[in-house]
Amino acid sequence: MMFSDQFWIPDGQRLYQIAISGVALYLFTVLFVRILGKRATAQMNNFDWLIAVATGSLLASGILLKDVSVVSALVAMAVLGLCQFVVTLVFARHEPVADALRAAPTLLTHKGHWLDEALKRERVSRAEVLARIRSEGMYGIDEANWVVLEMDGQLSILPRADVEIEDMPALEDVACDREALAGLEPKPVPDHVRVRGAGRDDAA
């Protein structure tokens, strides 16, 4: 026989252990998230993602693996939670440390232009950007003022607007060659796109 009966259906004692471990670790995880606050489940940067993946792995290991005790999994999860708490506290209080360790957002497109050097450096394809553009109900990058690769790996789309990047406080920490951007003539805006800020002078 290729597989034993234990492969398909463990004995009753093992199933009982899995059930008890699952309940214990679930309750600890709820308490764990409650103590650490909303940041424990947020994914604001690559460190948060790492903690989320590692915690999930430890949770599953403590429930299913015979060689990993429940207490071992609890201690490991508590240590990871403490590490995240300390790191995020340092980031919040010491901006230079955060800037040195945290990945900076990167500009990928500018008013209809692909920034190919940034795409290559961040290993993001045009197809991935276009998929995100489509998810926003847009027809192309000429409908976006900027596409930004955020610290957590998500793509943010800022719709076409009559505003320059220097006048956008939300983009002051975004990595880009601002001198090179100044030399790029904005691509024409499609007729079906309503540009934010356009016509303000006329309205006034």
Side-chain angles (χ1 to χ4, degrees):
M1 217 177 150
M2 185 176 294
F3 299 110
S4 66
D5 293 340
Q6 289 295 314
F7 178 83
W8 297 108
I9 305 176
D11 59 60
Q13 183 178 2
R14 179 57 187 152
L15 289 175
Y16 176 76
Q17 291 173 345
I18 291 173
I20 296 300
S21 299
V23 171
L25 286 167
Y26 171 77
L27 293 176
F28 176 80
T29 303
V30 172
L31 181 63
F32 173 81
V33 172
R34 184 67 183 88
I35 292 174
L36 292 181
K38 300 179 183 69
R39 186 60 189 264
T41 54
Q43 292 193 22
M44 298 184 182
N45 56 52
N46 45 352
F47 293 99
D48 292 334
W49 176 85
L50 179 63
I51 292 296
V53 172
T55 301
S57 177
L58 287 170
L59 184 64
S61 298
I63 295 172
L64 297 175
L65 299 183
K66 293 181 179 180
D67 297 335
V68 179
S69 68
V70 173
V71 173
S72 298
L74 292 176
V75 171
M77 290 171 63
V79 170
L80 285 178
L82 179 61
C83 288
Q84 189 204 32
F85 178 82
V86 172
V87 169
T88 53
L89 186 65
V90 170
F91 280 8
R93 297 187 178 183
H94 302 282
E95 199 65 31
V97 177
D99 292 339
L101 298 178
R102 191 170 50 197
T106 303
L107 196 67
L108 301 180
T109 76
H110 172 71
K111 296 194 174 184
H113 292 276
W114 292 102
L115 303 180
D116 289 317
E117 289 301 318
L119 288 166
K120 292 177 182 176
R121 185 169 61 252
E122 299 294 342
R123 302 189 301 281
V124 176
S125 69
R126 290 189 178 191
E128 290 169 321
V129 176
L130 290 174
R132 185 71 180 88
I133 289 284
R134 291 192 296 272
S135 73
E136 291 294 317
M138 297 180 177
Y139 298 96
I141 64 167
D142 50 359
E143 292 191 36
N145 248 24
W146 302 286
V147 177
V148 179
L149 178 65
E150 301 291 356
M151 292 182 291
D152 62 355
Q154 299 295 315
L155 292 173
S156 295
I157 312 293
L158 282 78
R160 205 65 183 261
D162 188 16
V163 63
E164 299 302 322
I165 194 168
E166 300 83 21
D167 302 322
M168 292 289 293
L171 297 177
E172 63 183 15
D173 64 334
V174 175
C176 61
D177 186 343
R178 295 177 186 268
E179 291 184 4
L181 295 182
L184 293 176
E185 188 70 23
K187 292 285 185 71
V189 181
D191 294 336
H192 61 273
V193 177
R194 181 181 178 185
V195 179
R196 296 184 181 183
R200 286 179 180 172
D201 295 338
D202 295 337

